[in-house]
Amino acid sequence: MMVLYSGTTCPFSHRCRFVLFEKGMDFEIRDVDLFNKPDDINVMNPYGQVPILVERDLILYESNIINEYIDERFPHPQLMPGDPVDRARVRLFLLNFEKELFVHVSTLESAEEKLKDKARAHIRDRLTQLAPNFIKNKYMLGENFSMLDVAIAPLLWRLEHYGIELSRNAAPLLKYAERLFSRPAYIEALTPSEKVMRR
Ligand SMILES: N[C@@H](CCC(=O)N[C@@H](CS)C(=O)NCC(=O)O)C(=O)O
């Protein structure tokens, strides 16, 4: 059975929990107290971070790498496109999310207020650029739910928690976010601490 070491408020762990529940197979989630990190986290991941996935003698870290593994291991419903060109494009987008959105998460979690304001502005601008895509598309790639939706959902859930306000131009993106949040797997994957992040 797969075991996921997960942070109860960690957006990266949130991605992996979301995929595990989408796949509906057997797994165990172990909550890790990041303020009192057990020694085995540093043994399993040289970067000392969660999420970490363990299955027999395989130990994986990095949320997107973990999620691609789960997707290949349990192909239904498939979250990466079947076509190699489309798959390569999704991977580029995933990289773009890390470099332009999620790179700011650690600032929002810990840094001083002035730096946080800059991080909020970067995220707001990038999300506003993405918004027109959802005037006609249900999900990031069109009609089909995919790994890109999984990757961005934890950030969309935390907008209010991080103090990020979007303008009216981003309304289609917020509607898209509600569509993600209403998925049964999404709701099941939320921890009690995440549930209270949104009113
Ligand atoms: N790029 C990593 C980021 C993981 C990450 O930043 N995890 C944080 C919690 S949200 C963590 O474990 N922090 C503890 C530490 O760095 O000591 C991923 O996608 O999995």
Side-chain angles (χ1 to χ4, degrees):
M1 192 174 37
M2 287 183 172
V3 176
L4 182 77
Y5 292 80
S6 157
T8 54
T9 59
C10 167
F12 305 96
S13 302
H14 189 175
R15 284 177 175 165
C16 299
R17 283 185 261 119
F18 191 9
V19 166
L20 287 170
F21 279 98
E22 282 288 339
K23 299 285 182 177
M25 22 56 95
D26 260 359
F27 56 84
E28 181 192 331
I29 292 177
R30 289 194 195 156
D31 291 338
V32 175
D33 178 358
L34 290 174
F35 294 103
N36 190 10
K37 225 173 9 180
D39 291 341
D40 58 347
I41 296 298
N42 290 312
V43 174
M44 292 187 286
N45 178 350
Y47 305 108
Q49 295 183 322
V50 291
I52 300 170
L53 184 86
V54 179
E55 192 191 34
R56 284 183 289 252
D57 57 354
L58 174 70
I59 301 175
L60 282 181
Y61 41 86
E62 276 302 313
S63 53
N64 289 331
I65 292 178
I66 292 173
N67 278 351
E68 276 207 49
Y69 173 71
I70 301 171
D71 192 45
E72 289 183 5
R73 193 77 174 71
F74 300 92
H76 304 288
Q78 198 175 8
L79 299 174
M80 287 297 278
D83 176 65
V85 172
D86 293 340
R87 227 174 17 243
R89 287 196 176 122
V90 165
R91 291 193 181 114
L92 271 188
F93 251 107
L94 289 172
L95 179 71
N96 177 274
F97 285 174
E98 299 313 292
K99 287 189 174 287
E100 303 203 9
L101 293 169
F102 284 84
V103 70
H104 303 297
V105 162
S106 53
T107 308
L108 290 170
E109 298 274 359
S110 57
E112 60 186 80
E113 213 40 46
K114 222 165 121 192
L115 291 175
K116 280 189 184 172
D117 270 344
K118 273 195 178 161
R120 288 184 184 111
H122 283 299
I123 292 177
R124 194 189 54 226
D125 294 349
R126 183 70 188 111
L127 290 179
T128 307
Q129 282 171 0
L130 290 172
N133 181 46
F134 302 103
I135 295 171
K136 55 178 178 24
N137 285 342
K138 209 165 152 198
Y139 296 111
M140 279 281 171
L141 290 181
E143 269 308 292
N144 295 327
F145 178 76
S146 75
M147 201 61 96
L148 291 178
D149 304 303
V150 169
I152 202 167
L155 177 65
L156 298 177
W157 183 257
R158 286 163 175 73
L159 289 179
E160 197 181 315
H161 177 68
Y162 290 152
I164 298 168
E165 267 186 63
L166 299 181
S167 72
R168 295 238 312 264
N169 296 343
L173 177 101
L174 296 179
K175 217 170 146 202
Y176 154 73
E178 293 300 329
R179 195 170 301 131
L180 298 181
F181 304 157
S182 66
R183 293 179 76 84
Y186 187 83
I187 297 164
E188 284 179 287
L190 286 171
T191 63
S193 327
E194 284 167 345
K195 279 189 182 136
V196 297
M197 283 176 180
R198 271 171 65 94
R199 270 173 283 147

